[in-house]
């Protein structure tokens, strides 16, 4: 996966952009009545980066109904309507801004960020849980397994997910 990313990372049409780098839903303030977005918060993470950071993290955090702490891996599934809504909304604003390379890497963004997070949880577990707080001894191992299962689900559903992307790029 890293080699695949590296093959794109220095292309001129794969620019750095201003990224939030922490796109979880709790970093968006919503109107209590209409649920319309008001503003993005937690701005200390904003810095240059590739578009895959924010879009991939949205896939990681929104596509499964269960958090990264879920131990029952049979519950880890991709919610296709959420994927379609996310892609539709993202591309409604970004379709004319993204380069051809970025458009090609939309699904890869989720795979890459999920894979990276799985490795971060696994590495932290192997290093004695020094970065991510844990509530029990193998929580970071469970989190890693969870993220690897989510990555598997993205791969298993790749054709359908890519078809959704292509539909909204058209």
């Amino acid at each position: 996966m890293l080699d695949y990313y590296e093959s794109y990372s220095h292309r001129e049409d794969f620019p750095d952009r201003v990224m939030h780098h922490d796109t979880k839903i709790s970093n968006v303030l919503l109107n209590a009545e209409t649920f319309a977005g008001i503003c993005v918060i937690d701005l200390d993470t904003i810095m240059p980066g590739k578009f895959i950071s924010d879009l991939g993290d949205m896939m990681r955090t929104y596509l499964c109904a269960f958090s990264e702490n879920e131990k029952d891996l049979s519950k880890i599934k991709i919610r296709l309507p959420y994927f379609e809504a996310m892609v539709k909304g993202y591309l409604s604003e970004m379709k004319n801004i993204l380069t051809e390379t970025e458009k090609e890497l939309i699904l890869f963004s989720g795979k890459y960020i999920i894979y990276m997070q799985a490795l971060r949880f696994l590495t932290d577990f192997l290093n004695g849980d020094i970065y991510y707080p844990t509530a029990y001894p193998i929580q970071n191992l469970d989190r890693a397994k969870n993220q690897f299962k989510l990555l598997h689900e993205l791969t298993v559903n790749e054709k359908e997910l890519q078809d959704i992307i292509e539909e909204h790029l058209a």
Side-chain angles (χ1 to χ4, degrees):
M1 185 147 328
L2 184 57
D3 289 341
Y4 186 79
Y5 172 79
E6 286 294 322
S7 74
Y8 284 93
S9 65
H10 300 294
R11 288 185 179 186
E12 284 184 30
D13 65 339
F14 192 41
D16 282 338
R17 298 185 180 279
V18 176
M19 296 287 107
H20 187 276
H21 294 286
D22 192 7
T23 58
K24 62 184 177 252
I25 196 67
S26 61
N27 283 334
V28 178
L29 294 181
L30 304 173
N31 180 293
E33 294 174 16
T34 66
F35 299 108
I38 297 172
C39 70
V40 175
I41 61 172
D42 194 16
L43 303 178
D44 64 314
T45 58
I46 291 178
M47 65 183 83
K50 304 297 183 192
F51 91 102
I52 63 174
S53 172
D54 284 359
L55 185 58
D57 198 37
M58 284 189 280
M59 288 185 203
R60 188 184 85 75
T61 57
Y62 304 159
L63 294 185
C64 183
F66 298 92
S67 80
E68 63 202 15
N69 291 304
E70 178 57 55
K71 294 185 271 186
D72 181 353
L73 299 183
S74 69
K75 294 179 178 179
I76 308 303
K77 304 280 185 207
I78 300 296
R79 298 184 289 185
L80 291 173
Y82 280 64
F83 182 83
E84 182 157 17
M86 185 182 59
V87 167
K88 179 181 178 182
Y90 186 80
L91 290 177
S92 73
E93 297 297 322
M94 295 299 294
K95 179 173 152 179
N96 296 325
I97 296 169
L98 294 175
T99 67
E100 290 306 310
T101 292
E102 290 171 318
K103 291 174 184 177
E104 184 180 322
L105 295 175
I106 289 172
L107 186 56
F108 176 76
S109 70
K111 291 178 181 179
Y112 185 78
I113 296 300
I114 293 166
Y115 179 68
M116 183 173 59
Q117 190 61 49
L119 291 179
R120 291 179 71 194
F121 284 140
L122 182 58
T123 300
D124 198 39
F125 170 74
L126 294 172
N127 285 328
D129 302 318
I130 58 176
Y131 185 77
Y132 295 107
T134 58
Y136 59 93
I138 63 165
Q139 186 173 10
N140 280 324
L141 178 59
D142 287 340
R143 288 170 170 159
K145 290 177 183 178
N146 172 302
Q147 293 298 282
F148 281 122
K149 176 64 167 39
L150 186 59
L151 177 60
H152 173 76
E153 291 297 313
L154 232 61
T155 303
V156 167
N157 291 284
E158 185 167 353
K159 167 101 173 69
E160 191 169 1
L161 299 172
Q162 192 61 46
D163 287 348
I164 290 169
I165 292 167
E166 295 303 323
E167 176 185 330
H168 292 286
L169 282 173

